[in-house]
Amino acid sequence: MTQKIYLRSFGCQMNDYDSSRILDLMREEGYEAVEAPDDADLAVVVTCSIREKAQEKTFSDLGRLREMKKAKPDMLIAVGGCVASQEGRKILSRAPWVDVVFGPQTLHRLPALIAERRKTGRAQVDISFPEIEKFDHLPAPCAHGATAFVSVMEGCSKYCSYCVVPYTRGEEISRPLVDVLVECAHLAEQGVKELTLLGQNVNAYRGRGPNGTTVDFALLLEFVSDIPGIERIRYTTSHPKEFSDRLIEAYGYLPKLANHVHLPVQSGSDRILAAMKRGYTHDWYLDRVARLRAVRPDISIATDFIVGFPGETEEDFAETMRLIDEVGFDASFSFVYSKRAGTPAASLPDDTPQSVKLARLQHLQSVIEANATRLSEAMLGRTERCLVFGEARKGGGMLAARTDNNRVVNFAGDASLIGRMADIRITDVFPHTLGGELVCAGGE
Ligand code: 5AD
Ligand code: SF4
């Protein structure tokens, strides 16, 4: 009989990617994915620990699953992702109804861990980091639509002073070039037109190439760009320190590289950047942006900020606001600093009141929002090459497409356009989307 799997994923796109691979894997094991946990035989929670709030969500979710398990004692509960990786066996003391704990690098072992749990009746924990073997044990990914994610490297070796990722996901490790290209080509054959290359520091990619050579991220992009059928390439997320001249030059000769980049800066204050151990300064970041804009003048730049890092003064924050003016960011993921146990920053004195931090965050977000609106308004009347990715959320027979600079545009069109490129004229600017009209549909 087919078994049912319910999966919930929190956090970043790496987790989303891992989650879709878990579903691919479990499908091969005879499981069918269900939308609600009530009738699931197996519930999987893929957790995030980047900020305290995310971590707490894990345990409230596990509490809900416990209630369901009371009604259905055969249901197994598996916990993966970064909380699992960090807490390991400790999860079992806080949530003894959990059956399996697995890490980001051991998700391919989930079927074996479940089998062992069933056989022995004992909870199973495996959060080891067996290099990058997981990719050798996962089925080839199935495309769902015209966009797809491909993981090219995992982990992080930067050890920013506030961040748990190097501890939860391990050191940077890149997949071999051939493996990445085979996966991309396989997806392209299934109709994928837009690829997003994934990695915690994707531009730190150093993969094994032909004849023992090492391939950097710029060269990887060249290879991916040559795959027939691929029209557009995005990647996330990148580190300013690894934003090499070679990568910047690639924007000049690889037209498939999207006109949008996510380049987390975290702060505009040199003092705070040093305390964060980011390895660059305000001016260095500006220099990267200037060089990039020399090659791609209208590229849209999104970023991440941490507001209220321990010791951040009004002057430090003013430096961040100055950077925002200088760069003209198009979007940001910005949060108040969250103290994470086990990271070096956790022991720094922090006497800024939370209310001050929140006020700074609000101010920062409103300025970036205004920037984004201004940039959207500048698009009015322009015809944009877009990838139509589905029906519009608000329905009404409208379709949704993504512009090169990463905006969603809703327009009236026939459903047969889904999965194709189309030229769309921008006619309206709304708070988080654009409105447009179809000018001309692209090829198949
Ligand atoms: N507190 C707040 N934000 C954090 N991030 C990472 N660690 C923390 C933390 N301890 C943010 C950074 C990073 C994004 C993924 O999450 O901005 O770029
Ligand atoms: Fe965390 Fe810094 Fe690594 Fe990003 S680069 S994952 S913020 S340690």
Side-chain angles (χ1 to χ4, degrees):
M1 204 181 73
T2 321
Q3 304 235 57
K4 297 195 170 90
I5 175 173
Y6 166 78
L7 184 144
R8 231 170 109 89
S9 180
F10 294 96
C12 67
Q13 282 163 320
M14 306 295 283
N15 268 4
D16 289 346
Y17 177 83
D18 282 352
S19 296
S20 69
R21 305 316 313 276
I22 290 170
L23 289 177
D24 288 344
L25 176 70
M26 297 312 285
R27 227 172 268 127
E28 290 217 330
E29 297 286 318
Y31 282 81
E32 171 201 357
V34 290
E35 296 289 320
D38 321 71
D39 53 330
D41 302 288
L42 169 66
V44 181
V45 188
V46 179
T47 62
C48 170
S49 61
I50 196 93
R51 284 168 292 271
E52 194 182 351
K53 247 193 200 147
Q55 175 140 359
E56 281 314 307
K57 267 195 215 150
T58 302
F59 288 100
S60 54
D61 222 51
L62 287 178
R64 270 195 295 277
L65 288 175
R66 175 195 208 177
E67 294 308 309
M68 306 208 163
K69 193 168 173 159
K70 277 185 189 155
K72 194 176 178 192
D74 286 349
M75 177 167 94
L76 294 187
I77 299 175
V79 182
C82 287
V83 179
S85 174
Q86 202 166 23
E87 303 288 317
R89 196 160 278 284
K90 276 190 265 167
I91 294 215
L92 299 178
S93 38
R94 197 165 157 188
W97 57 93
V98 165
D99 300 286
V100 172
V101 178
F102 63 101
Q105 296 302 338
T106 47
L107 57 89
H108 58 289
R109 296 185 184 161
L110 188 55
L113 291 165
I114 288 168
E116 192 63 14
R117 161 67 185 77
R118 289 218 161 103
K119 199 171 97 196
T120 62
R122 281 198 307 274
Q124 300 294 312
V125 179
D126 184 353
I127 52 162
S128 55
F129 291 102
E131 292 287 299
I132 206 143
E133 76 167 39
K134 82 173 185 196
F135 292 104
D136 299 333
H137 294 84
L138 289 170
C142 296
H144 304 280
T147 60
F149 292 95
V150 175
S151 172
V152 306
M153 60 82 71
E154 302 245 319
C156 179
S157 309
K158 302 290 185 282
Y159 293 92
C160 299
S161 63
Y162 51 82
C163 186
V164 289
V165 167
Y167 313 102
T168 60
R169 287 195 166 256
E171 296 263 332
E172 284 164 8
I173 177 150
S174 298
R175 293 177 70 190
L177 175 71
V178 177
D179 293 12
V180 174
L181 294 181
V182 165
E183 191 167 318
C184 293
H186 178 71
L187 290 163
E189 272 167 20
Q190 296 174 71
V192 167
K193 296 204 166 49
E194 179 180 297
L195 286 174
T196 302
L197 307 183
L198 280 182
Q200 218 75 47
N201 282 310
V202 70
N203 55 335
Y205 179 81
R206 309 272 187 282
R208 184 158 33 86
N211 310 320
T213 53
T214 300
V215 173
D216 70 358
F217 190 58
L219 188 53
L220 172 69
L221 288 172
E222 267 185 56
F223 280 114
V224 174
S225 199
D226 283 341
I227 296 174
I230 297 301
E231 305 246 6
R232 187 171 281 166
I233 306 166
R234 303 183 188 275
Y235 58 85
T236 193
T237 186
S238 52
H239 195 294
K241 233 172 93 177
E242 306 268 6
F243 214 83
S244 64
D245 290 342
R246 277 176 51 78
L247 175 54
I248 290 171
E249 281 158 24
Y251 277 88
Y253 60 84
L254 295 179
K256 291 181 183 178
L257 261 183
N259 220 13
H260 171 85
V261 66
H262 182 229
L263 190 57
V265 66
Q266 314 299 358
S267 170
S269 153
D270 287 348
R271 218 174 58 81
I272 296 296
L273 286 169
M276 289 177 163
K277 296 218 165 21
R278 290 291 291 176
Y280 55 84
T281 60
H282 183 124
D283 285 348
W284 197 87
Y285 188 91
L286 282 183
D287 173 67
R288 293 291 95 190
V289 169
R291 284 176 195 236
L292 183 59
R293 289 225 164 107
V295 191
R296 283 279 186 101
D298 54 349
I299 193 162
S300 120
I301 302 178
T303 196
D304 293 351
F305 287 107
I306 297 177
V307 175
F309 185 80
E312 184 190 76
T313 62
E314 282 302 328
E315 290 72 44
D316 293 317
F317 182 63
E319 282 293 279
T320 297
M321 295 311 297
R322 180 165 72 88
L323 185 83
I324 291 173
D325 277 347
E326 288 160 337
V327 176
F329 290 110
D330 199 2
S332 85
F333 294 106
S334 38
F335 296 92
V336 166
Y337 167 74
S338 170
K339 181 171 167 172
R340 309 311 290 126
T343 60
S347 55
L348 294 175
D350 185 3
D351 49 15
T352 311
Q354 194 68 8
S355 58
V356 172
K357 295 185 179 190
L358 279 169
R360 283 180 194 164
L361 180 71
Q362 252 165 24
H363 177 54
L364 178 149
Q365 286 178 333
S366 66
V367 169
I368 292 186
E369 188 99 349
N371 260 344
T373 306
R374 217 173 27 247
L375 293 166
S376 289
E377 279 165 0
M379 293 170 74
L380 277 171
R382 283 207 319 238
T383 297
E384 296 276 333
R385 187 119 180 106
C386 300
L387 176 62
V388 186
F389 63 83
E391 287 171 8
R393 258 203 218 157
K394 61 178 180 186
M398 302 285 280
L399 300 181
R402 192 170 293 279
T403 64
D404 201 9
N405 66 3
N406 210 31
R407 283 168 162 73
V408 173
V409 45
N410 295 321
F411 69 106
D414 189 82
S416 62
L417 290 172
I418 294 172
R420 292 163 61 185
M421 304 299 291
D423 291 336
I424 297 171
R425 186 168 37 246
I426 308 302
T427 54
D428 289 291
V429 173
F430 304 113
H432 294 110
T433 55
L434 301 170
E437 52 192 36
L438 182 68
V439 175
C440 142
E444 268 314 300

